[in-house]
Amino acid sequence: MKQFLFITDLDYTLIGDDDAMAKLNQQLELHRQQYGTKIVYSTGRSPFLYQKLAKDKTLLDPDILVCSVGTEIYINGSQDTDSTWSDKLSQAWDRDLVKTISATFTELKPQPASEQRDFKVSYLLKEEIAGKVVPELECALLEQGLDIQVIYSGGKDLDILPRHANKGMAMTFVRQHLEIDVAKTVACGDSGNDIALFANREEKGIIVGNARPELLDWHKANPNPNRYLATAKFANGIEEGLQYFGFF
């Protein structure tokens, strides 16, 4: 297999073991130069927090950057979000109403201003009460006719997004934009906001060995031969999965 589309989450997936990441980066960059493989980061981070991370860690420059849990797509280093994607998400999205309803849930603590985006309203929520609060919040928002989804991940992060925005839908958009076949696409992740990369997907999926319980529980309940659970952690787990699927 020559060219492929490589999509990965950053925190606790690609990032977590600097030596393993350096080794994987070397292999990916070589593959990109030889075969035109495309590298895409799909992160829950805003562009602000992504840039902060890129200063701390030695990351390859991605061909496409997907930020803020699939709600923003930046192509070929552009500073502006892809307008086609933004136009798609703006339909039936009422950010002010989402904030007004969410404000009635006192358990939710707003995330920093940098993480509040045009198509993402984000809070912190304690894990021990998430099982009760998330369904109630989702119900309250849907009762108002809002076309939304609520995603809880990492044991603390709660994101409210338009129904058509998540990492999985962003992956489909990117794959079609790049015109790369579904069988030559692989996505990697570790937490709840990565489930959309793996749910009912023909693309290959790699779950790293250090994945969080919410993703592992979902994986066990929803088996799929296109998905591989690595034994190794972080970038070593990605490499293990890429070898398993024959991309390396």
Side-chain angles (χ1 to χ4, degrees):
M1 194 176 289
K2 303 292 186 187
Q3 182 196 50
F4 66 95
L5 171 56
F6 173 75
I7 300 175
T8 186
D9 173 55
L10 293 174
D11 295 280
Y12 307 108
T13 302
L14 179 64
I15 292 168
D17 179 333
D18 289 348
D19 292 339
M21 183 173 74
K23 183 183 170 210
L24 179 63
N25 280 349
Q26 198 173 12
Q27 292 174 282
L28 287 169
E29 185 55 43
L30 189 63
H31 217 276
R32 178 156 65 176
Q33 289 172 12
Q34 288 184 327
Y35 305 115
T37 283
K38 300 296 184 183
I39 297 170
V40 177
Y41 298 148
S42 186
T43 177
R45 287 174 177 253
S46 65
F48 171 77
L49 282 188
Y50 167 73
Q51 293 299 338
K52 201 173 167 189
L53 183 70
K55 284 186 180 118
D56 293 340
K57 299 289 181 183
T58 309
L59 298 173
L60 297 174
D61 289 331
D63 296 285
I64 295 178
L65 175 65
V66 180
C67 281
S68 306
V69 200
T71 62
E72 299 172 40
I73 297 176
Y74 299 87
I75 296 175
N76 294 332
S78 171
Q79 299 300 303
D80 299 315
T81 59
D82 183 84
S83 58
T84 307
W85 184 243
S86 298
D87 290 347
K88 180 182 169 78
L89 300 193
S90 63
Q91 295 160 25
W93 170 248
D94 188 335
R95 194 175 191 286
D96 290 337
L97 184 54
V98 167
K99 285 179 68 179
T100 300
I101 294 166
S102 304
T104 63
F105 287 78
T106 55
E107 306 93 337
L108 299 176
K109 306 299 177 199
Q111 288 188 21
S114 70
E115 303 316 290
Q116 308 300 339
R117 311 296 293 172
D118 287 350
F119 301 108
K120 180 170 82 81
V121 180
S122 296
Y123 297 93
L124 296 171
L125 177 65
K126 290 180 179 172
E127 194 164 19
E128 56 267 26
I129 54 173
K132 175 177 178 291
V133 174
V134 172
E136 289 176 2
L137 173 64
E138 194 164 28
C139 191
L141 291 163
L142 292 172
E143 278 176 359
Q144 294 297 317
L146 288 162
D147 196 17
I148 54 84
Q149 57 186 313
V150 178
I151 298 177
Y152 186 70
S153 65
K156 61 181 181 4
D157 297 317
L158 184 142
D159 299 306
I160 305 166
L161 316 173
R163 173 72 59 197
H164 296 294
N166 60 38
K167 288 186 175 187
M169 289 171 183
M171 173 168 69
T172 299
F173 181 87
V174 164
R175 187 175 59 71
Q176 291 171 346
H177 170 81
L178 293 170
E179 299 181 338
I180 295 180
D181 190 79
V182 67
K184 295 178 180 175
T185 301
V186 60
C188 317
D190 78 296
S191 74
N193 69 20
D194 298 314
I195 288 172
L197 291 170
F198 308 126
N200 303 313
R201 286 278 167 183
E202 292 179 57
E203 294 93 344
K204 302 294 188 266
I206 299 168
I207 297 175
V208 289
N210 55 287
R212 290 197 54 85
E214 72 255 17
L215 179 55
L216 292 174
D217 291 347
W218 176 87
H219 167 69
K220 285 170 191 159
N222 299 274
N224 183 332
N226 291 327
R227 200 163 59 239
Y228 178 74
L229 176 59
T231 54
K233 298 176 180 180
F234 311 116
N236 280 329
I238 294 175
E239 185 182 357
E240 181 187 322
L242 290 172
Q243 288 173 349
Y244 174 82
F245 285 122
F247 288 108
F248 274 180

